[in-house]
Amino acid sequence: MARQDRLMRLLAALRRLPSPVTARRLAAETEISERQLYRDIATLRAGGVLIDGAAGYGYTLTEDPALPPQSFSRLETEALMLAVGSLEELGDERLAKAGRDAMARIIATLPDRQARQSMHAIMRSWRMPAERPQIAVDVDLLRQACWDEMSVTITYRDRQERVTQREILPLGLSYSPTTLMLVGWCLLREDYRSFEVARMERLDLGTVSFRPRRAEMLRRYKTLRMAEWEAQKAAEREAAGRAAT
């Protein structure tokens, strides 16, 4: 792991974990040895980061010059905590951890009073745990392909148990309590398609770049779906009107 990445991960862990946090816990969180951790703590201190504590006791991040001061209203802080907390319900641990790290970074920039408020937020997101299908492919690779605007090839088993191989231009991911969907442009069908990620049996990075068309293609998809939804609602209202007469 590159030195800069190690130091960033260590700072994120110090912001996120309850203080004081032991060297053993920090080493496990950042996936380095304790010996390397002590060296990285010394490097951060030399760079101006104020870290209290010592080996055998634990460490506390008391001042982080890498982050500018921030200020949020109590309701804004509650909204952020609610949004990050809801990520836990998606079943995507990497995404949930990224949210926790981001929130810890925000809290580290708040004045003491606002930081304490964030630790005792009154609003929480909680739902009955849903039965989510197991995902066999690498969701991180799928996210990266969306960001990089590169095609992916998939082996897909549909609900009729038919298996096809397709190359797709991935446009975005849609999370729900029960499933994860990929919206994309299917090069086989030459049309927009939605795919349940849990039904993908294999996923590989493709060779087709569609930069910088992703945002425009996604806007067009949303426009088409909204038009379909409006047409459906209009038909339902018309049918209801006929039934009433």
Side-chain angles (χ1 to χ4, degrees), residues 78-108:
E78 291 271 0
L80 289 170
M81 295 295 291
L82 186 64
V84 171
S86 67
L87 295 177
E88 304 287 347
E89 299 164 7
L90 300 178
D92 187 333
E93 177 53 33
R94 292 291 297 276
L95 190 62
K97 183 179 183 300
R100 293 193 298 269
D101 286 346
M103 195 66 223
R105 195 175 305 159
I106 291 170
I107 292 172

Side-chain angles (χ1 to χ4, degrees), residues 12-29:
L14 283 165
R15 294 173 188 132
R16 185 181 72 253
L17 298 173
S19 302
V21 55
T22 64
R24 177 178 295 180
R25 177 77 185 278
L26 283 170
E29 284 285 327

Side-chain angles (χ1 to χ4, degrees), residues 234-245:
E236 290 174 357
R237 287 193 296 268
E238 184 178 347
R242 288 198 301 268
T245 58

Side-chain angles (χ1 to χ4, degrees), residues 60-219:
T60 300
L61 179 65
T62 58
E63 186 175 334
D64 187 351
L67 299 175
Q70 302 257 16
S71 182
F72 296 98
S73 70
R74 177 177 292 183
L75 189 59
E76 288 171 339
T77 303
E78 291 271 0
L80 289 170
M81 295 295 291
L82 186 64
V84 171
S86 67
L87 295 177
E88 304 287 347
E89 299 164 7
L90 300 178
D92 187 333
E93 177 53 33
R94 292 291 297 276
L95 190 62
K97 183 179 183 300
R100 293 193 298 269
D101 286 346
M103 195 66 223
R105 195 175 305 159
I106 291 170
I107 292 172
T109 71
L110 297 177
D112 284 347
R113 181 179 61 83
Q114 292 181 342
R116 287 194 299 272
Q117 289 173 356
S118 69
M119 303 304 288
H120 301 285
I122 62 171
M123 287 186 259
R124 292 286 187 270
S125 175
W126 186 87
R127 298 182 182 89
M128 288 293 292
E131 193 70 32
R132 298 179 66 89
Q134 292 296 311
I135 293 176
V137 299
D138 185 353
V139 179
D140 278 345
L141 176 61
L142 202 48
R143 278 193 284 257
Q144 192 65 47
C146 290
W147 291 328
D148 293 343
E149 298 177 53
M150 288 294 296
S151 68
V152 293
T153 59
I154 64 171
T155 301
Y156 190 73
R157 183 181 298 274
D158 66 19
R159 294 189 177 185
Q160 286 73 46
E161 300 300 321
R162 296 172 299 203
V163 178
T164 57
Q165 281 75 40
R166 305 177 184 223
E167 189 165 13
I168 298 161
L169 307 184
L171 303 179
L173 292 165
S174 174
Y175 288 82
S176 80
T178 57
T179 190
L180 173 61
M181 301 292 294
L182 170 69
V183 175
W185 179 268
C186 178
L187 296 179
L188 176 66
R189 304 300 184 195
E190 296 187 338
D191 198 0
Y192 290 107
R193 289 290 188 273
S194 296
F195 302 91
E196 294 183 51
V197 177
R199 292 188 170 275
M200 295 180 185
E201 299 184 348
R202 177 165 180 160
L203 169 71
D204 296 291
L205 191 63
T207 59
V208 177
S209 171
F210 58 106
R211 187 181 297 274
R213 294 185 290 139
R214 189 184 74 86
E216 177 56 34
M217 293 176 74
L218 194 53
R219 278 195 295 269

